[in-house]
Amino acid sequence: MSAPDTTAVRTMLVDDHALLREGIRSLLDRESTISVVGEADSYDAALAEVMRCRPDVVVVDLKLTAGTEYEGLRLISEIAARHPSVSSLVLTTFLDDDLVVRAVKAGARGYVVKDVDTTELVRAIQSVSGGGSAFDPRSAAIVLRTVSGDSDGPEALTDREREVLRLLADGMSNKRIGQTLYISESTVKFHIRNIIRKLGVSKRTDAVYIASKRGLI
């Protein structure tokens, strides 16, 4: 086996799903410009691993544990504070205006979703390692709207959230909504939390009421 390329970007993967980490690693291991030097599945493990392997880039999923909301954001913020030379790149299944903005504010240099192809992921890692930024077209559009002042603000609901709201108004359970939209129940809960937060209410029934008053459903 040939010696590792010392010019390759030292990359660390943070995701609580072992199979996903293994899949991403197997893809990146084929790239001569990327060297995966560490992995972690939680906030605490990731901080320890950053200290151990000293990566150039940490690729972070936002949802690290089932019981904690967006620990990945807290991890990105902590890495930025403790290790300013380490760049964080979000790789997640969630694409939400507020999450993209929060990730950038936490210190993320880029934001891509998990359906990105290998070439684009490698390009994103290389870009953030060099001090640049990397956003897929959808997240880039969100950042651009926010920077230009054209964003509808935190009250704006995504098309998917409106779909979930309409089904909530029909009295459907989380499980039934997931079956109808072909998404997992945890993803339904994710959307409902965002809806409740954006509408400034505390209960799903209140969210339906406020949304109907505003003509959102």
Side-chain angles (χ1 to χ4, degrees):
M1 182 180 294
S2 60
D5 183 357
T6 56
T7 65
V9 180
R10 294 174 58 81
T11 304
M12 180 179 140
L13 307 177
V14 184
D15 195 304
D16 63 335
H17 292 94
L19 285 177
L20 286 176
R21 287 201 317 275
E22 290 171 10
I24 295 169
R25 181 167 195 152
S26 67
L27 291 173
L28 294 179
D29 279 345
R30 302 172 189 171
E31 303 293 327
S32 61
T33 58
I34 304 292
S35 175
V36 179
V37 295
E39 297 181 27
D41 61 0
S42 67
Y43 172 86
D44 291 331
L47 288 180
E49 189 70 352
V50 169
M51 288 289 294
R52 185 194 70 80
C53 67
R54 301 292 180 179
D56 301 311
V57 175
V58 179
V59 179
V60 182
D61 187 12
L62 294 180
K63 190 92 170 160
L64 296 181
T65 59
T68 305
E69 189 177 6
Y70 313 132
E71 267 204 322
L73 290 173
R74 186 162 68 99
L75 174 61
I76 291 167
S77 180
E78 195 66 18
I79 290 174
R82 295 191 192 185
H83 309 282
S85 64
V86 178
S87 299
S88 294
L89 172 68
V90 173
L91 179 63
T92 186
T93 56
F94 301 115
L95 183 64
D96 173 85
D97 290 32
D98 183 62
L99 273 181
V100 174
V101 173
R102 288 169 66 188
V104 172
K105 288 182 177 178
R109 294 281 185 86
Y111 194 113
V112 294
V113 291
K114 286 183 177 176
D115 60 1
V116 68
D117 62 35
T118 306
T119 300
E120 290 301 317
L121 178 57
V122 169
R123 186 176 296 136
I125 292 172
Q126 291 172 329
S127 180
V128 299
S129 74
S133 59
F135 297 89
D136 64 26
R138 289 164 292 181
S139 57
I142 292 170
V143 174
L144 182 60
R145 287 200 304 271
T146 302
V147 171
S148 65
D150 293 334
S151 173
D152 292 327
E155 296 299 315
L157 299 177
T158 66
D159 291 340
R160 177 63 89 187
E161 287 164 357
R162 287 172 184 262
E163 289 178 325
V164 171
L165 254 178
R166 283 192 285 270
L167 297 179
L168 278 177
D170 290 339
M172 287 191 183
S173 65
N174 292 353
K175 182 177 181 179
R176 182 59 181 151
I177 292 172
Q179 292 171 340
T180 302
L181 298 178
Y182 301 101
I183 57 179
S184 69
E185 192 170 347
S186 63
T187 301
V188 174
K189 292 177 181 177
F190 161 78
H191 289 308
I192 292 174
R193 283 196 299 269
N194 277 343
I195 290 166
I196 288 173
R197 173 182 52 75
K198 290 180 178 182
L199 295 180
V201 296
S202 58
K203 297 184 296 184
R204 55 199 286 159
T205 52
D206 292 339
V208 171
Y209 175 76
I210 291 297
S212 63
K213 287 291 187 182
R214 295 182 183 178
L216 299 176
I217 55 175

